[in-house]
Amino acid sequence: MAENTKIYLQPTPVRIWHWLNAFGIVTLTVSGAQIRFPEYISLLGSYKSAIYLHNTAGFVVAISFTLWFFYYVFIARSMANLYVPKVEDLKTGLLRQAKFYFLTYFLGWENPHHPTPRNKFNPMQKSAYLAIMFVLMPLVSLTGIFMTNVEPLRGVIVMMGGMKILMSVHFLLACCLIAFLPTHVYLTTLGHTPMEHIKTMWTGWEENGNDVPDHKENGTVPSH
Amino acid sequence: MNHSYDSKLLFAAFLGALLLVPCALAAMDSDYCLMCHGDADMVNAELLIVPTTFDTTAHAVLGCVVCHDTIGDDHPSGVSELSRATCLDCHDTLGQEYLMTDHANYAICGDCHNPHEARAMKAMAGYDMNDKCIRCHDSQTMVDVHKVWLPQADLHIAKLPCITCHTGSEGYEIVLNIVVRQDDRFFSRFELPEYQILKEISGDAGILSLIDTNGDNFIALTELRRFNRNPAYRNLRLEGTLVPSDVSHDLKTLDNRYDCTFCHISGPKSLQTSFLAIPNRDGGYQRVTVEQGAVLDALYGTPDFYMVGTTRSASMNILGLLIISAGLVMPIGHGLLRFLTRKNRQH
Ligand code: HEM
């Protein structure tokens, strides 16, 4: 890297959302495990406290999800731009990024994608985050809301196939979110230093920021 | 069963009662009394006894006179105020147990039981047992009283017999009921139907044949699946509840019921035993054994019975584990290659 420029990559609302969310998901995972396997897991004391904690964490995650959503859609107005892959991303970008992760990274080449506030994610991140934030998170939250209001919503639950379907969907989607976690945390350590991206998510500032002007950005930057 | 002792006593009481009653009166069987008491034109509403109901209750074998033994030939014009046997004469064990409780100060046998409609617990659907309690403890108040400590109190009160928590039992079992969509709208509620409604749906073959297709009086998992998937039955579903295996009248608040894992736990003692309750013409129910572990079947076992922690399905767990393991492929596989090729990135 030629210069040690800094860019402001992660605005405050996004950081608040992110860490509330991360903490919430970890809490949900642990308490959820105890709720499903009470005879093996009793980390959180009584079953009842696991349930109350799970419900509270679910509430916090749902609220912070709303914060994230409103911030990107109405304040930053960059949701579609950041999260929805462009045609080009799908045609060439995905392949190029996959080639980097699974081949050229090991050879020591530079990441073909350089994050800027307007184009934060590489094509693989876009697709993954899109699936997580627009499919998994809303569905898990929704099924969770149904399960905490079974009596009042009984009719709708029956329409969806009954408690068992609801439970199975909630459980399997939650497993997908849990599976995302190690992959996600691991990938964030692929910066120039392992803690680089994680620091960014904490402070907002990306060190070793992109030294190429914004207009040339779009994934066409050659690696050196 | 703790009733074998009871039964002997009952038999003695029964014989004793028969001997005490003059022979002429013993000949007056229930049919005779019901000529008037089963007919709304003959007696007023408080004295009316529905014959089809009485005939199928556990007390039908006794006949009326056993319990109303002071009746004379001049009835009804003679002395009024006939005798009424007390329940304790025959139900000693259960009766004594109840009398020892605090609740005996609040309600007597007759507040909960009508002797002319008495049914065994096994001849009830499950939730209908609460009709007794709700007469004095209305549902909404009970939700409010329990939600102080009970998560999802509305759901528990709506689905569980009160005596599952307020009396002790060696074990607990699941009773499944066929419920029917109230009207043909998509999201309408399912309720416990009258016998007649199910009878119309099932036709001559009988209600049990809806599920027990091979007629062996046993519900196999495959039969449950076929029932749940059958598009012709889309207005029918199975719901479940948890009932005590044996009846106790030691009505009280049991401390271990504060601990959710009393019920929400799986393992050898867990709830894999279930029965299907089929309504009879008379308002009672008949129980049919269901294959062990049916409620653990992920999708088609019983769609509307799920108890967190208890009825989780093993196949779902395996699927979940596979998904989570897939999440470790990247860190482990990539991480290993990353470690091996670390020299390439030292520039
Ligand atoms: C404790 C575990 C976690 C750590 C250490 C972590 C770390 C990070 C880091 C460093 C970034 C910035 C890099 C990037 O833009 O890709 C990031 C972004 C992101 N993370 Fe996480 N994360 C964690 C948990 C989660 C969880 C549980 C979720 C969702 C279920 C999640 C969803 C996201 C999303 C959607 C972004 C993009 C955010 C944006 O800029 O709009 N993260 N995470």
Side-chain angles (χ1 to χ4, degrees):
Chain A
M1 275 276 141
E3 268 174 76
N4 203 3
T5 47
K6 269 187 162 190
I7 51 169
Y8 189 59
L9 197 60
Q10 305 288 11
T12 311
V14 172
R15 285 179 284 141
I16 294 177
W17 158 74
H18 184 271
W19 293 116
L20 268 182
N21 186 55
F23 184 69
I25 298 277
V26 171
T27 313
L28 284 167
T29 304
V30 176
S31 53
Q34 174 164 353
I35 291 169
R36 193 167 176 94
F37 302 103
E39 68 270 45
Y40 304 117
I41 299 168
S42 52
L43 282 168
L44 302 166
S46 77
Y47 197 71
K48 209 155 60 186
S49 43
I51 288 187
Y52 285 134
L53 188 63
H54 196 78
N55 292 353
T56 314
F59 191 68
V60 168
V61 166
I63 295 285
S64 77
F65 180 87
T66 318
L67 175 79
W68 168 87
F69 189 83
F70 274 84
Y71 173 75
Y72 272 130
V73 172
F74 295 110
I75 300 175
R77 295 170 189 267
S78 55
M79 180 73 95
N81 184 42
L82 283 180
Y83 275 86
V84 182
K86 315 251 174 333
V87 179
E88 197 185 315
D89 287 334
L90 295 177
K91 277 203 300 209
T92 57
L94 269 179
L95 207 69
R96 190 183 55 234
Q97 195 63 33
K99 191 175 131 206
F100 166 71
Y101 278 138
F102 297 113
L103 182 68
T104 56
Y105 170 82
F106 299 120
L107 304 176
W109 296 19
E110 184 70 1
N111 193 333
H113 177 82
H114 296 265
T116 66
R118 295 198 54 245
N119 190 4
K120 235 191 321 191
F121 307 135
N122 71 46
M124 280 177 80
Q125 278 172 313
K126 271 188 199 170
S127 324
Y129 291 155
L130 191 75
I132 301 284
M133 297 307 288
F134 287 85
V135 183
L136 290 187
M137 290 288 291
L139 276 180
V140 174
S141 308
L142 206 66
T143 48
I145 290 169
F146 275 104
M147 279 169 352
T148 42
N149 296 286
V150 177
E151 262 310 284
L153 299 177
R154 175 75 69 184
V156 196
I157 292 175
V158 164
M159 197 175 87
M160 297 188 308
M163 278 304 282
K164 276 212 167 168
I165 304 277
L166 194 68
M167 279 299 199
S168 304
V169 168
H170 188 77
F171 173 68
L172 292 181
L173 294 182
C175 287
C176 295
L177 276 183
I178 295 169
F180 166 75
L181 207 78
T183 308
H184 175 62
V185 175
Y186 175 77
L187 285 177
T188 60
T189 66
L190 289 188
H192 294 97
T193 67
M195 286 306 284
E196 183 195 2
H197 293 320
I198 296 178
K199 260 188 225 141
T200 308
M201 208 20 137
W202 187 252
T203 62
W205 291 92
E206 172 110 328
E207 310 255 349
N208 289 329
N210 182 20
D211 45 348
V212 186
D214 226 15
H215 61 267
K216 272 180 75 184
E217 172 68 38
N218 251 340
T220 50
V221 184
S223 58
H224 57 185
Chain B
M1 280 296 277
N2 59 357
H3 293 307
S4 55
Y5 181 59
D6 248 6
S7 302
K8 283 194 209 103
L9 271 181
L10 286 175
F11 191 63
F14 184 35
L15 281 184
L18 279 181
L19 289 176
L20 288 174
V21 179
C23 291
L25 286 176
M28 283 202 225
D29 57 7
S30 310
D31 289 345
Y32 170 73
C33 312
L34 288 170
M35 251 166 36
C36 298
H37 287 281
D39 185 344
D41 295 335
M42 301 290 287
V43 294
N44 58 29
E46 308 97 76
L47 302 180
L48 189 70
I49 290 164
V50 183
T52 49
T53 304
F54 179 79
D55 284 349
T56 55
T57 62
H59 283 161
V61 290
L62 298 173
C64 315
V65 182
V66 171
C67 291
H68 301 287
D69 57 6
T70 60
I71 193 161
D73 287 328
D74 50 356
H75 179 80
S77 47
V79 267
S80 206
E81 240 351 272
L82 295 176
S83 67
R84 283 123 162 101
T86 58
C87 317
L88 282 164
D89 294 345
C90 303
H91 299 287
D92 195 43
T93 320
L94 221 47
Q96 289 302 336
E97 189 177 36
Y98 180 69
L99 292 184
M100 303 294 285
T101 65
D102 281 349
H103 206 275
N105 301 320
Y106 312 135
I108 56 166
C109 312
D111 290 327
C112 290
H113 295 282
N114 178 341
H116 311 117
E117 291 170 11
R119 288 187 201 292
M121 187 175 67
K122 292 198 167 20
M124 307 198 81
Y127 190 71
D128 49 353
M129 293 176 204
N130 287 5
D131 295 349
K132 296 180 171 60
C133 318
I134 282 168
R135 235 175 270 158
C136 301
H137 304 284
D138 81 274
S139 299
Q140 191 48 51
T141 315
M142 285 304 110
V143 171
D144 294 340
V145 164
H146 289 82
K147 79 175 174 210
V148 179
W149 62 274
L150 181 65
Q152 307 252 13
D154 55 347
L155 184 59
H156 282 95
I157 295 295
K159 287 292 156 211
L160 275 174
C162 313
I163 57 169
T164 301
C165 285
H166 286 291
T167 64
S169 169
E170 277 292 305
Y172 294 84
E173 52 210 24
I174 292 159
V175 171
L176 303 175
N177 289 294
I178 304 176
V179 288
V180 177
R181 202 194 293 272
Q182 286 312 289
D183 46 59
D184 210 15
R185 267 178 315 169
F186 224 39
F187 45 84
S188 31
R189 288 184 163 246
F190 283 73
E191 305 282 354
L192 206 58
E194 301 277 321
Y195 166 83
Q196 211 47 47
I197 295 175
L198 282 182
K199 184 69 191 168
E200 271 161 34
I201 298 173
S202 61
D204 289 339
I207 297 173
L208 184 57
S209 72
L210 288 173
I211 303 181
D212 182 22
T213 37
N214 64 4
D216 64 353
N217 223 22
F218 174 78
I219 310 292
L221 199 50
T222 46
E223 286 171 323
L224 274 184
R225 289 201 183 127
R226 211 175 302 135
F227 172 77
N228 284 324
R229 270 192 260 190
N230 190 338
Y233 298 154
R234 89 199 139 79
N235 288 337
L236 303 181
R237 290 177 81 81
L238 287 171
E239 264 182 12
T241 187
L242 192 60
V243 302
S245 313
D246 13 76
V247 183
S248 149
H249 269 47
D250 191 2
L251 205 66
K252 61 181 178 204
T253 295
L254 291 151
D255 282 341
N256 55 11
R257 298 307 195 278
Y258 289 104
D259 179 3
C260 312
T261 54
F262 182 85
C263 291
H264 292 277
I265 197 152
S266 79
K269 277 205 305 170
S270 81
L271 311 157
Q272 313 203 348
T273 310
S274 29
F275 299 92
L276 177 68
I278 296 288
N280 292 331
R281 192 183 306 109
D282 56 77
Y285 289 78
Q286 159 208 347
R287 283 194 190 175
V288 183
T289 310
V290 176
E291 188 175 340
Q292 286 279 316
V295 291
L296 304 178
D297 183 42
L299 296 180
Y300 292 108
T302 49
D304 280 332
F305 185 76
Y306 187 93
M307 278 175 69
V308 281
T310 308
T311 58
R312 58 172 191 245
S313 121
S315 41
M316 282 293 157
N317 291 344
I318 294 169
L319 204 58
L321 191 67
L322 284 177
I323 294 175
I324 294 176
S325 323
L328 295 173
V329 170
M330 187 74 184
I332 293 173
H334 198 278
L336 187 69
L337 283 173
R338 177 187 185 181
F339 178 74
L340 295 176
T341 60
R342 63 195 179 282
K343 287 208 190 66
N344 293 350
R345 284 180 302 277
Q346 287 169 351
H347 45 147

